Amino acid sequence: MNTKTLSRRRTLIAFAMLVPAALAVRSVRAQAGAGGVQLFKVVSPRDEVVVGADAALLGTGSGPAVERLAAQLAAKGQLTLWQYASHKDASGALVQAPLRQIVVFRNEALRIEPYATPLPIQPLK
């Protein structure tokens, strides 16, 4: 193989790796407009849970929403959030809906990451 072919393959592979990441960011941004609630996955040593946070909880700032949520958790030590799960709404359509309120403790959360879903997100109760 010549160097042009290798360079083209590397470029194609790099592009193929970036497309899914760009689509995930796009779907997370689209979720933010759905009732102002953004979904996150909180990973602890025992389990993983999907939670919703609205703009009031995330606060203002120019950083990514996941960083703002992590900063709130670090500053306060614990946050009361709504756990989200997929449910059928009154019309039978599948949606992400608030299930119950939970408390997330700073020392129990190992990781917080954006959670992308193709389902519509219902607003907080």
Side-chain angles (χ1 to χ4, degrees):
M1 279 186 214
N2 62 29
T3 57
K4 278 188 174 181
T5 304
L6 284 175
S7 177
R8 286 182 186 155
R9 284 186 180 179
R10 287 182 184 152
T11 302
L12 183 60
I13 290 171
F15 181 72
M17 293 172 69
L18 289 176
V19 169
L23 291 174
V25 168
R26 183 176 172 197
S27 67
V28 168
R29 285 186 181 159
Q31 286 181 19
V37 176
Q38 292 185 23
L39 298 183
F40 301 92
K41 185 186 332 181
V42 178
V43 180
S44 74
R46 290 179 285 168
D47 61 356
E48 298 177 359
V49 63
V50 176
V51 297
D54 60 3
L57 177 67
L58 295 174
T60 59
S62 60
V66 69
E67 288 179 9
R68 295 190 321 243
L69 181 62
Q72 289 286 344
L73 182 58
K76 295 180 179 178
Q78 68 183 40
L79 291 175
T80 301
L81 301 167
W82 279 94
Q83 181 180 359
Y84 268 71
S86 57
H87 291 283
K88 289 189 178 181
D89 65 5
S91 66
L94 203 54
V95 297
Q96 286 284 347
L99 181 62
R100 64 180 155 256
Q101 282 190 307
I102 62 169
V103 177
V104 176
F105 295 97
R106 174 180 54 210
N107 58 346
E108 290 291 319
L110 292 178
R111 185 174 73 234
I112 300 173
E113 57 191 46
Y115 182 78
T117 179
L119 302 175
I121 301 171
Q122 290 186 337
L124 297 173
K125 295 179 179 179

